[in-house]
Amino acid sequence: MVLEAAQRLTRDAISQCQLARFNTVLKRAVRSPFYADRLGEVGATDVPLPSLDHVNDLPFTTKDDLRASYPHGMLAVPKEHLVRMHASSGTTGTPTAIFHTQNDLNSWAELMARCMHMVGLRPSDVFINMSGYGLFTGGLGIHNGAERLGCLTIPSGAGNSRRQIKLIEDFQATAVHIIPSYALHLASVISDMGRNPADLSLRIALIGAEPHTDGIRRRIEELYGVKAYNSYGLSEMNGPGVAFECEYQDGLHVWEDAFYLEVINPETGEVLPDGELGELVLTSLCREGMPIIRYRTRDLTRILPEPCPCGRVHRRIERIAGRSDDMMIVKGVNIYPMQIERVLMQIGEVGDNYVIERYRDGFMDNIRVRVEVREEFFVEDMRALTGLQKRISSSLRDEILITPKVELVEPKSLPKSEGKAHRVVDLREDNA
Ligand code: AMP
Ligand code: ZN
């Protein structure tokens, strides 16, 4: 089967195909006004790269470049060749638009189907896609992959938890795509109905679209009695289908025949050796409509240098540690939200939701972590709660080196979103 063969490419086959495809993509890209200029500046408009070592000489592309060339500056084909547009979910500033030809959509669906096949989905599965449809790529992107694989695909979209539960039950769904924070919320709705999420027919959950820790994954697996696999992608590189966990759940294989993968030092732009933590940089190797070269994702990860026990040689990245723009500097210390989540998820009494509030404390910035406590622990016994609060705060200090304020709150009292979770709230303006 083609999906199987693509997962089992040899290293040589990947390298050869990468060089050929990189050069094809460069040739296409210079047809766009943006890359005609950008590649023109480094004299890379008509000479093919002799080897992949020369990728290093090419300029990066950033989110700001996409904004500056909005809406059509990066188009490499006439508009009439396009069949779809998506936009990034970013909430600030000018949006970014990504365009696809029919071939682009076909290869995206193929990649997505490959991910699903890797984790054991088959045409016999009944698949529910609980992500928002529309401009967000987790809707149609995942949907088309599931159909390509041959699953009965139910486009349930985001929210409306009771309807989601009914759909799972009525159609005996076996697999679901769901944003991790929503998976936890949905489980609590099911429990409130006096039911056990593990009694549902689900066996596989694809989770992604937002940073989450292994602790959150394990909770989802336990709650629903499923295997949950991390799915990574971004609109600029199609959307989902860029990197995906295999059955070993230890890092995400990047489909290197479709994406050229680099990790750089975000300060200097220097390419880092495998194993070092830095910013992920990706080049789309198959795109026609809007090729993007050396895109700085701002996502922080490392390439795992060891071979994966599954035998697939597409290199793996570690789960995303955070975004370079998520980093908070508090009392001179660099802190990422995922460090906080990792600590929280190791504490049994901690519930399913938390929020990190940044606020001004006199002249200093500080953070307050508001944590939902599980129903069974949210008792009136003040002493136990104070003890828990102290325990969380000292575990956090061990990880992030400062002692944040910790506030324990009732289960289900913190706001949740139907899309990607907003874990950090900035209150500093209000406190200024
Ligand atoms: P968008 O293009 O708006 O869908 O957003 C893409 C961004 O979502 C990525 O650059 C990541 O920051 C984040 N993201 C997507 N999938 C994951 C994942 N599995 N783990 C962590 N972050 C993710
Ligand atoms: Zn593997």
Side-chain angles (χ1 to χ4, degrees):
M1 188 181 182
V2 182
L3 290 176
E4 177 88 57
Q7 294 165 45
R8 300 287 170 184
L9 291 175
T10 62
R11 195 72 237 165
D12 279 353
I14 290 176
S15 305
Q16 274 171 24
C17 128
Q18 280 194 320
L19 182 60
R21 288 185 172 173
F22 213 117
N23 280 320
T24 306
V25 144
L26 283 173
K27 236 197 281 178
R28 283 187 197 136
V30 292
R31 295 182 199 137
S32 74
F34 172 80
Y35 281 114
D37 281 356
R38 184 58 64 89
L39 295 172
E41 284 163 18
V42 295
T45 45
D46 53 5
V47 206
L49 299 178
S51 79
L52 291 167
D53 295 336
H54 291 76
V55 169
N56 227 338
D57 305 332
L58 300 172
F60 294 115
T61 306
T62 63
K63 187 90 160 180
D64 284 343
D65 293 328
L66 282 167
R67 291 197 174 117
S69 60
Y70 179 85
H72 295 130
M74 281 196 197
L75 274 191
V77 297
K79 272 190 231 157
E80 54 271 28
H81 293 190
L82 301 171
V83 298
R84 170 95 66 80
M85 187 204 102
H86 279 284
S88 176
S89 62
T91 46
T92 51
T94 317
T96 54
I98 311 291
F99 298 93
H100 303 272
T101 64
Q102 187 59 54
N103 284 339
D104 290 338
L105 293 186
N106 294 347
S107 60
W108 180 11
E110 195 70 26
L111 287 169
M112 201 54 246
R114 198 196 288 182
C115 297
M116 293 170 157
H117 181 272
M118 174 162 69
V119 298
L121 264 92
R122 293 294 177 269
S124 52
D125 278 295
V126 176
F127 180 79
I128 299 202
N129 186 13
M130 294 190 191
S131 67
Y133 279 62
L135 291 174
F136 175 51
T137 54
L140 288 170
I142 297 265
H143 182 103
N144 290 347
E147 283 190 357
R148 173 67 58 111
L149 185 58
C151 300
L152 170 59
T153 307
I154 306 179
S156 68
N160 201 341
S161 300
R162 284 182 180 262
R163 194 189 59 185
Q164 304 281 21
I165 298 161
K166 185 164 165 47
L167 286 170
I168 298 176
E169 290 188 323
D170 291 356
F171 301 98
Q172 288 293 296
T174 52
V176 61
H177 172 238
I178 186 164
I179 292 183
S181 49
Y182 182 65
L184 296 174
H185 171 64
L186 185 67
S188 75
V189 176
I190 299 170
S191 307
D192 286 350
M193 292 162 71
R195 315 267 293 282
N196 181 355
D199 293 339
L200 297 173
S201 46
L202 296 173
R203 65 181 193 96
I204 292 178
L206 315 182
I207 57 171
E210 66 184 12
H212 59 285
T213 53
D214 194 47
I216 290 275
R217 180 245 296 281
R218 296 295 168 210
R219 281 195 179 195
I220 294 170
E221 291 194 322
E222 278 162 29
L223 283 164
Y224 290 90
V226 295
K227 291 291 258 178
Y229 298 97
N230 192 351
S231 157
Y232 170 81
L234 63 164
S235 313
E236 293 79 0
M237 295 290 125
N238 299 341
V242 175
F244 218 84
E245 278 180 343
C246 68
E247 62 274 28
Y248 285 88
Q249 296 181 310
D250 182 17
L252 297 86
H253 290 280
V254 176
W255 299 128
E256 291 187 87
D257 52 324
F259 301 98
Y260 186 77
L261 157 71
E262 300 168 271
V263 171
I264 63 162
N265 175 332
E267 313 277 302
T268 62
E270 170 209 3
V271 177
L272 296 174
D274 288 5
E276 285 189 30
L277 183 71
E279 178 180 345
L280 180 66
V281 170
L282 293 167
T283 301
S284 60
L285 295 176
C286 301
R287 281 256 283 278
E288 291 179 347
M290 189 170 161
I292 301 185
I293 292 157
R294 301 196 86 199
Y295 183 67
R296 293 190 57 161
T297 64
R298 304 195 215 172
D299 292 325
L300 302 172
T301 184
R302 68 181 98 234
I303 295 174
L304 298 174
E306 304 80 22
C308 185
C310 75
R312 295 178 185 89
V313 300
H314 293 274
R315 279 178 303 168
R316 288 169 303 158
I317 52 170
E318 196 170 59
R319 75 171 50 246
I320 304 295
R323 289 176 61 80
S324 53
D325 33 13
D326 278 350
M327 191 183 78
M328 304 174 275
I329 303 181
V330 185
K331 299 181 179 167
V333 182
N334 298 352
I335 300 171
Y336 289 97
M338 281 304 104
Q339 290 177 281
I340 294 178
E341 181 176 302
R342 230 178 0 253
V343 171
L344 296 179
M345 289 305 129
Q346 280 161 9
I347 299 173
E349 295 92 330
V350 166
D352 293 336
N353 205 355
Y354 68 92
V355 67
I356 302 162
E357 290 179 349
R358 307 187 66 176
Y359 68 101
R360 196 97 69 207
D361 193 2
F363 292 107
M364 299 278 272
D365 278 0
N366 207 341
I367 53 173
R368 174 167 45 230
V369 184
R370 303 182 69 210
V371 184
E372 285 186 6
V373 176
R374 287 192 186 206
E375 197 87 56
E376 59 270 36
F377 298 108
F378 200 78
V379 281
E380 293 301 308
D381 183 347
M382 273 306 283
R383 247 195 335 188
L385 284 180
T386 312
L388 174 60
Q389 194 175 22
K390 286 204 178 124
R391 194 143 46 88
I392 295 177
S393 147
S394 88
S395 307
L396 284 171
R397 193 200 44 232
D398 291 346
E399 168 73 29
I400 61 177
L401 310 176
I402 61 157
T403 313
K405 286 214 163 69
V406 172
E407 194 183 311
L408 304 181
V409 301
E410 267 183 79
K412 303 193 199 87
S413 62
L414 294 174
K416 33 193 128 9
S417 84
E418 280 184 0
K420 304 189 186 208
H422 303 294
R423 299 296 195 192
V424 181
V425 178
D426 199 339
L427 303 173
R428 286 173 301 171
E429 236 91 84
D430 306 338
N431 284 284

